[in-house]
Amino acid sequence: MIFASDNWAGAAEPIVAALAEQARNGGPAYGGDALSKAVEARFCEIFEREVAVFFVGTGTAANALAIANYCRPGSIVFGHTQAHINVDEANGLEFLGGGVKVVGLDGEGGKLTPSTLLDGLAAFPERGFHHGQPVAVSLSQANELGQAYSPAEVAAVTEVAKDKGLAVHMDGARFAGAVAGLGVSPADVTWKAGVDVLSFGGTKNGCLAAEAVVFFDPAQARDFGFARQRIGHGFSKAWFIAAQFARYLEGDTWLALAGHANARARVLADAVRSSGEARLALEPSANEVLAILTEGLDARLKAAGAIYYPWSPAGMPADALPGPGEVLVRFVTSFQTSEDEVARFAALVSGSTTP
């Protein structure tokens, strides 16, 4: 019962097979091969427009490079206080952005809203050289509390951002889960809603160290290749990342993998919802389930071998905070989560099975 993170999952069999096949091939280095070009064209199809695509090896590199592309002297970048760029990336953006300052903003459910962004912007008056200049806002899709922004929610934030001259970045480490959960097109929740650049994740959903930075206006990516090469993410054998994305994006494979994880998360959520010793902190949008457990249930689950993490209450609604004798935890499912795992978990939560 491994619900610690989708980072704990292995690789999807079709992806491994594609890599094995590509190991017998080769081609021009640094993305000049035919497969890399075909994958770039596939991204254009998925997003229903011409895009510029750059492969990288990690989500941290994707986020930091993507946002740093828009940085200037004194740059300010807004994100949620719990956003990965603010909490989990060892100041990678600050480093690659040449001293950019990340400003965390509060928001229920881990989401930014037009009002929270306006409040953040108010601290940085225009033409105030002492305070720095806002350049971008980053939205996590799905976010660290398992919530997905609808196209309307994205558009509402980007409208404020564009009015103030800010670029909009989307951290899509769990983008497939959000798209599958929302039932919307990738275009509708990105560039059609005002997003400029997307960190498109593959690693959490079945790939091996395969991420991509997608610019919805190729002209904005003019210098990006130099920045990527400078930090060592310009892979000579780029076809190994391309091979993964080629299979991942073939048909609806990427959405099917995410859909599996989402479906398993819904079973976990149902088990929590029906338990007398647990309750949902938030309704899940994708494959992350935030729940409040009694300390007794928490101990029994762990004794039975369930692996998951306690979670920070920051960004949680007031009525979703743990009380005395309770703990807030996060369960994360993946494309590998089995029916047996969630069934065992449900039995434990219902009290029908003891460790």
Side-chain angles (χ1 to χ4, degrees):
M1 294 180 289
I2 298 176
F3 307 123
S5 172
D6 34 16
N7 284 321
W8 284 44
E13 291 184 9
I15 305 298
V16 175
L19 272 172
E21 174 65 26
Q22 197 58 35
R24 293 188 285 270
N25 300 321
Y30 294 103
D33 60 285
L35 185 57
S36 292
K37 299 300 183 185
V39 170
E40 291 169 7
R42 176 63 178 144
F43 270 102
C44 294
E45 293 176 359
I46 287 172
F47 287 103
E48 305 171 33
R49 66 172 295 156
E50 181 186 0
V51 298
V53 181
F54 297 84
F55 303 146
V56 294
T58 70
T60 294
N63 287 338
L65 282 169
I67 300 172
N69 188 69
Y70 299 93
C71 289
R72 303 188 298 273
S75 289
I76 304 295
V77 173
F78 298 105
H80 193 273
T81 52
Q82 294 301 303
H84 214 265
I85 63 168
N86 193 40
V87 177
D88 296 297
E89 297 184 353
N91 300 336
L93 172 56
E94 289 89 334
F95 176 65
L96 292 181
V100 57
K101 180 181 181 66
V102 177
V103 175
L105 303 176
D106 294 329
E108 283 196 2
K111 289 183 178 181
L112 298 185
T113 64
S115 61
T116 56
L117 179 54
L118 284 169
D119 288 344
L121 284 162
F124 301 93
E126 294 181 20
R127 297 178 298 279
F129 298 113
H130 297 282
H131 303 291
Q133 56 177 331
V135 297
V137 60
S138 179
L139 305 175
S140 300
Q141 183 74 307
N143 68 25
E144 288 68 28
L145 298 183
Q147 303 298 291
Y149 289 89
S150 69
E153 288 175 318
V154 175
V157 175
T158 62
E159 183 178 2
V160 173
K162 301 298 178 162
D163 183 62
K164 300 297 183 180
L166 275 61
V168 179
H169 164 258
M170 180 170 281
D171 178 353
R174 294 187 173 97
F175 185 70
V179 171
L182 290 168
V184 299
S185 77
D188 283 343
V189 78
T190 54
W191 66 269
K192 288 185 178 180
V195 174
D196 294 293
V197 61
L198 168 71
S199 299
F200 185 95
T203 305
K204 293 181 187 295
N205 195 38
C207 296
L208 297 86
E211 309 282 315
V213 177
V214 181
F215 287 90
F216 298 108
D217 177 2
Q220 294 182 4
R222 185 188 65 179
D223 297 324
F224 190 85
F226 296 101
R228 180 184 62 170
Q229 187 68 17
R230 186 171 60 178
I231 72 159
H233 277 257
F235 295 100
S236 62
K237 297 182 180 181
W239 55 78
F240 284 115
I241 296 181
Q244 295 179 66
F245 276 130
R247 185 63 184 87
Y248 185 67
L249 300 175
E250 182 180 308
D252 289 329
T253 299
W254 64 297
L255 295 177
L257 291 169
H260 175 99
N262 290 358
R264 295 292 185 255
R266 288 194 295 272
V267 175
L268 292 188
D270 287 342
V272 169
R273 195 180 288 109
S274 61
S275 171
E277 293 187 83
R279 67 184 190 275
L280 289 177
L282 293 167
E283 289 291 334
S285 297
N287 68 320
E288 301 162 88
V289 179
L290 275 291
I292 297 170
L293 314 179
T294 64
E295 291 177 348
L297 177 58
D298 181 47
R300 293 200 306 275
L301 286 170
K302 290 176 179 175
I307 302 173
Y308 53 90
Y309 287 127
W311 210 249
S312 168
M316 301 297 294
D319 61 354
L321 298 176
E326 295 180 324
V327 293
L328 175 65
V329 303
R330 187 181 76 162
F331 304 107
V332 186
T333 56
S334 77
F335 70 94
Q336 279 189 327
T337 302
S338 69
E339 185 175 342
D340 177 65
E341 283 180 283
V342 295
R344 288 163 55 204
F345 173 88
L348 285 162
V349 171
S350 70
S352 62
T353 299
T354 57

